[in-house]
Amino acid sequence: MRILIKYTLKSMMEKKFRAFLIVFAIALACGLFLASSRLSSSITDMYYEKITAMYGDADIDIYTNEDSPTYYISLGGCKKVEDKCKRIIPQGYAGAEYKPAGAEGTQYIQIQAYNIEDYLAINKLAVLEGDPLKCKEADLILSEHGMTQLGLSVGDEINLRVNGSMHKVKIVAKVGAEGIFKNESQSGYITGIMPFDTIAKYNKTNNRASEIHIDVKDGVDIDETIAELKEIYPKYTVERTVNIVEIQNQLSSITMPFMMMTFIVVFMSVFIIYSSFKVIMLEKLPAVGTFRSIGADKWVMNGVLLLEALFYGIIGGIVGCLLGIGCLYVLSNIMVTQMMGESGGITLNIPAGSYFLAFLMGVVMAILSTLVPILSVSKISLKDIILNSR
């Protein structure tokens, strides 16, 4: 047996290009299978993570669209569904300009306006310094990233230009990359939180919101509440903050063709492996005859030949998993850029089961693709092999 295995390994090393071709075919099929099977889930997870970072645990979002009469939404209509809501959270936006002392240019800060109690009820703040609950009146919360960029510290008072007017604000807290600050470093913007009432006054919106987030009570039907709100706000968009079904339907039109391409590659890989092993068996036929003539059992020879296929399957499966990670990262980056308008910050969540299935696929594909050539050789009698009359 040791001689047979040694011979098999030696013959594999002698035909390096053919070995590479078989391993590459298996790896490509496994890699594409891993990427295509996890693409939809990975994008959905990243989409969900991005949305929940923005809106936290809120269930419903109301915002303006091209048919809306103004850029702002009155909170009065939400009182009609107040009995179904844990909390109704108005949000505002403002672009603020800050000019550091001695600097020639200005820095832009994207202000998101919340009443801090409302924000903390649905979202996260990783407090590093200061007290966010002191964010009242003309106070500002910045992230560690934003403070570093601006060269500021907690307790500093700065002048911001908001809506054409200068306002003195105080930094009351420094926070980490959680909640609305989670993707700040990737977005390229500096984000800050200020009280909703203050920004509404700066923007002169008469206490109306740019968006309204609603956290419904437990047991309340979200779709029914959305239907009621659509009647109240017919010229505004009312929808779930996270609509997983919609994003999955959108992704299916992209992932299905990719899955079909994977099946085509698998078929081509099986054909390559089958053809290669057919040639290998023809080349090894004289050696097979020699081993069988000195007493090697037919099934032992078949086992040794299958061991070669198993070796290719194991190597191809491992390489395929690595290839699949790279392929999934590239595809996810492209799709996230198209769907969310940003690149980078890609996080891949690939369970161990997916790696195992991709690896197992490589092993099974290698063995099944070589069974026919191996069994064909085993059917040839020793006499026909020796006389070369097969």
Side-chain angles (χ1 to χ4, degrees), residues 285-301:
L285 205 53
V288 169
T290 301
F291 284 121
R292 284 173 60 180
S293 65
I294 58 175
D297 185 79
K298 182 189 297 186
W299 297 108
V300 171
M301 286 301 305

Side-chain angles (χ1 to χ4, degrees), residues 59-78:
D59 300 300
I60 301 171
D61 188 30
I62 307 173
Y63 57 93
T64 61
N65 55 45
E66 58 185 13
D67 296 324
S68 302
T70 69
Y71 292 111
Y72 301 101
I73 313 166
S74 171
L75 295 169
C78 293

Side-chain angles (χ1 to χ4, degrees), residues 68-312:
S68 302
T70 69
Y71 292 111
Y72 301 101
I73 313 166
S74 171
L75 295 169
C78 293
K79 293 181 179 179
K80 297 179 181 180
V81 295
E82 204 168 19
D83 60 322
K84 298 182 178 181
C85 306
K86 287 183 185 176
R87 193 175 287 260
I88 297 169
I89 302 167
Q91 180 185 0
Y93 296 99
E97 293 179 351
Y98 166 64
K99 186 175 182 180
E104 295 183 1
T106 59
Q107 295 275 5
Y108 180 82
I109 303 175
Q110 190 180 65
I111 303 293
Q112 299 203 28
Y114 288 95
N115 294 321
I116 192 63
E117 293 84 1
D118 286 342
Y119 176 86
L120 290 174
I122 63 169
N123 216 328
K124 301 176 183 176
L125 277 181
V127 182
L128 302 177
E129 186 180 349
D131 185 359
L133 292 175
K134 291 182 179 178
C135 189
K136 310 289 185 182
E137 301 298 330
D139 292 332
L140 174 66
I141 299 172
L142 288 174
S143 70
E144 183 177 27
H145 168 78
M147 285 190 177
T148 302
Q149 293 290 102
L150 300 173
L152 298 173
S153 303
V154 173
D156 288 350
E157 291 187 349
I158 60 175
N159 292 313
L160 294 181
R161 182 180 296 277
V162 182
N163 201 21
S165 301
M166 295 297 294
H167 303 278
K168 180 173 283 189
V169 302
K170 181 180 180 180
I171 302 171
V172 295
K174 176 171 71 174
V175 298
E178 283 290 344
I180 63 172
F181 299 96
K182 190 174 184 68
N183 301 306
E184 182 185 17
S185 58
Q186 284 87 32
S187 68
Y189 294 106
I190 296 173
T191 302
I193 295 179
M194 287 188 70
F196 172 78
D197 295 338
T198 303
I199 293 301
K201 183 171 65 176
Y202 290 171
N203 287 336
K204 301 175 183 178
T205 66
N206 195 25
N207 227 38
R208 291 175 297 170
S210 300
E211 284 189 58
I212 301 174
H213 313 302
I214 297 177
D215 186 16
V216 303
K217 292 180 179 178
D218 296 337
V220 172
D221 190 293
I222 296 175
D223 292 326
E224 286 184 7
T225 308
I226 289 174
E228 288 184 49
L229 287 166
K230 283 184 176 180
E231 292 181 3
I232 298 169
Y233 296 101
K235 294 186 178 181
Y236 296 87
T237 300
V238 183
E239 62 183 12
R240 286 177 178 261
T241 52
V242 182
N243 194 332
I244 296 297
V245 174
E246 182 179 329
I247 192 67
Q248 286 177 339
N249 290 338
Q250 185 178 350
L251 284 169
S252 64
S253 62
I254 302 172
T255 56
M256 281 303 294
F258 190 70
M259 186 66 79
M260 290 299 296
M261 184 179 73
T262 301
F263 287 135
I264 294 172
V265 170
V266 169
F267 177 79
M268 292 176 61
S269 298
V270 168
F271 179 76
I272 290 171
I273 299 167
Y274 169 79
S275 302
S276 299
F277 260 83
K278 204 170 180 181
V279 174
I280 291 172
M281 292 302 101
L282 289 174
E283 291 178 350
K284 289 186 176 181
L285 205 53
V288 169
T290 301
F291 284 121
R292 284 173 60 180
S293 65
I294 58 175
D297 185 79
K298 182 189 297 186
W299 297 108
V300 171
M301 286 301 305
N302 289 346
V304 172
L305 296 173
L306 280 173
L307 185 63
E308 181 175 349
L310 180 63
F311 179 82
Y312 285 127

